Amino acid sequence: MKTEKNINLTAYTVEYIDQREPKPRTIRTQTVVLDGGKVSALARLDMRPAGWITAQFERDGYTVASVHKGETITAHVDLFDLWQQTMTNIEHERLKIQLNAAIAQLNSEGVEV
């Protein structure tokens, strides 16, 4: 069974301004990466990625100065390896939460850790 997939990733550089900042406002830069599926879905909805990205930033209260399309790359992903890494990360986060809870409980009981 094939557990590998190629995904296309396109980077967009967004320059935006936070209108809540006092003047003079800083132009900030952020890179937004969209996969081929998202770009294709936007095309089927007759939307351009730059317009969709602008709408997302404006919804969060920012004013977009510009959106520049950057490089498109194809990433080769082994889904089984990705699954293993994700499961390891999830388990790591669970253990970290349990450890922090145990430390908090010991601290509340007056035990020095």
Side-chain angles (χ1 to χ4, degrees):
M1 177 196 272
K2 183 178 178 183
T3 64
E4 298 171 350
K5 183 174 185 169
N6 289 324
I7 58 172
N8 294 315
L9 303 172
T10 304
Y12 295 86
T13 302
V14 182
E15 293 179 344
Y16 65 96
I17 300 166
D18 187 349
Q19 295 292 347
R20 298 166 292 197
E21 272 185 11
K23 291 183 179 179
R25 296 183 179 114
T26 304
I27 296 178
R28 301 180 190 280
T29 303
Q30 183 175 334
T31 300
V32 176
V33 179
L34 302 180
D35 68 4
K38 175 67 99 179
V39 173
S40 176
L42 291 171
R44 287 192 300 273
L45 295 171
D46 201 27
M47 294 178 69
R48 292 186 172 174
W52 182 81
I53 291 168
T54 299
Q56 301 307 304
F57 273 77
E58 288 176 350
R59 186 184 71 192
D60 291 338
Y62 302 107
T63 300
V64 174
S66 66
V67 178
H68 302 283
K69 182 179 179 182
E71 188 177 355
T72 298
I73 60 171
T74 300
H76 182 76
V77 179
D78 185 329
L79 298 176
F80 181 75
D81 286 345
L82 181 60
W83 176 270
Q84 294 295 352
Q85 290 174 11
T86 303
M87 291 304 293
T88 301
N89 288 344
I90 289 170
E91 186 61 27
H92 181 260
E93 288 301 316
R94 282 186 195 148
L95 290 172
K96 195 159 80 172
I97 289 168
Q98 289 174 352
L99 179 61
N100 287 337
I103 290 171
Q105 183 177 1
L106 289 172
N107 286 338
S108 70
E109 294 173 359
V111 176
E112 189 73 26
V113 179

